[in-house]
């Protein structure tokens, strides 16, 4: 089987859709955070559009990430490139961490919200920071490839392989 040189249109679309959904989860988290704090203070759990949006968004992210993983397995992905073994290893760990965080965040959020499990909520809050750090590392790596290595890596996520 020949080496995969790029991503499929579907893989690229899912990457950017998940990125947009994650951004929306961070930007519009106040509604569910307020509802959670109210519940912890003894008020009845409120379910409004902001809460529903956060829950649906998390479910979508989980479903799309599972789909992305299935597509990675079926269609393959380009090899990780870098200018050292350390950089390649860091890229592998970052990608694995991103997928793991994108799975564990919706799961921990659902367990916290629907199960009322405060430990899951605490884990959810830690994972939010971990995901942000991994996203920052992912972006820095992409920019390093674009502007330092100048190896065209970013083009793989803009144009689908044929």
């Amino acid at each position: 089987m020949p080496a995969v040189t790029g991503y499929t249109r579907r893989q690229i679309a899912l990457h950017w859709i998940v990125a947009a959904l994650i951004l929306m989860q961070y930007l519009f988290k106040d509604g569910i955070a307020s509802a959670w704090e109210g519940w912890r203070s003894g008020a009845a759990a409120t379910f409004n559009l902001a809460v529903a949006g956060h829950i649906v968004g998390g479910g979508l992210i989980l479903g799309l990430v599972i789909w992305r993983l299935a597509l990675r397995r079926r269609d393959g992905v380009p090899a990780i490139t870098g200018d050292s073994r350390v950089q390649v290893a860091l890229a592998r760990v970052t990608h694995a961490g991103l997928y793991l965080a994108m799975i564990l965040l919706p799961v921990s959020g659902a367990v916290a919200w629907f199960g009322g499990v405060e430990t899951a909520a605490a884990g959810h809050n830690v994972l939010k920071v971990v995901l942000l750090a991994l996203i920052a590392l992912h972006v820095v790596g992409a920019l390093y490839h674009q502007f330092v290595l100048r190896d065209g890596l970013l083009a793989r996520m803009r144009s689908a392989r044929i």
Side-chain angles (χ1 to χ4, degrees), residues 20-45:
L21 285 169
I22 289 170
L23 178 63
M24 303 233 341
Q25 291 294 82
Y26 278 98
L27 291 176
F28 301 111
K29 69 183 182 327
D30 293 342
I32 199 159
S34 295
W36 177 260
E37 286 307 316
W39 176 80
R40 285 186 64 211
S41 300

Side-chain angles (χ1 to χ4, degrees), residues 72-153:
R72 284 178 68 89
R73 186 168 192 71
R74 187 188 79 186
D75 299 335
V77 294
I80 292 179
T81 61
D83 57 357
S84 72
R85 285 184 181 177
V86 171
Q87 187 183 49
V88 171
L90 184 59
R92 286 188 205 288
V93 169
T94 301
H95 281 99
L98 282 166
Y99 279 107
L100 188 60
M102 289 185 293
I103 290 169
L104 291 177
L105 265 161
V107 169
S108 64
V111 169
W113 184 260
F114 294 110
V117 179
E118 295 217 25
T119 306
H124 190 74
N125 284 328
V126 170
L127 285 167
K128 289 188 303 189
V129 176
V130 169
L131 182 61
L132 281 176
L134 289 168
I135 289 169
L137 193 56
H138 185 62
V139 170
V140 166
L143 294 174
Y144 177 78
H145 276 274
Q146 183 69 22
F147 297 112
V148 176
L149 296 181
R150 298 176 190 239
D151 60 6
L153 182 116

Side-chain angles (χ1 to χ4, degrees), residues 16-73:
W16 293 112
I17 290 167
V18 168
L21 285 169
I22 289 170
L23 178 63
M24 303 233 341
Q25 291 294 82
Y26 278 98
L27 291 176
F28 301 111
K29 69 183 182 327
D30 293 342
I32 199 159
S34 295
W36 177 260
E37 286 307 316
W39 176 80
R40 285 186 64 211
S41 300
T46 58
F47 196 78
N48 56 41
L49 191 57
V51 170
H54 194 80
I55 291 169
V56 169
L60 279 171
I61 290 168
L62 179 60
L64 294 175
V65 166
I66 291 169
W67 189 12
R68 284 182 66 181
L69 288 169
L71 290 175
R72 284 178 68 89
R73 186 168 192 71

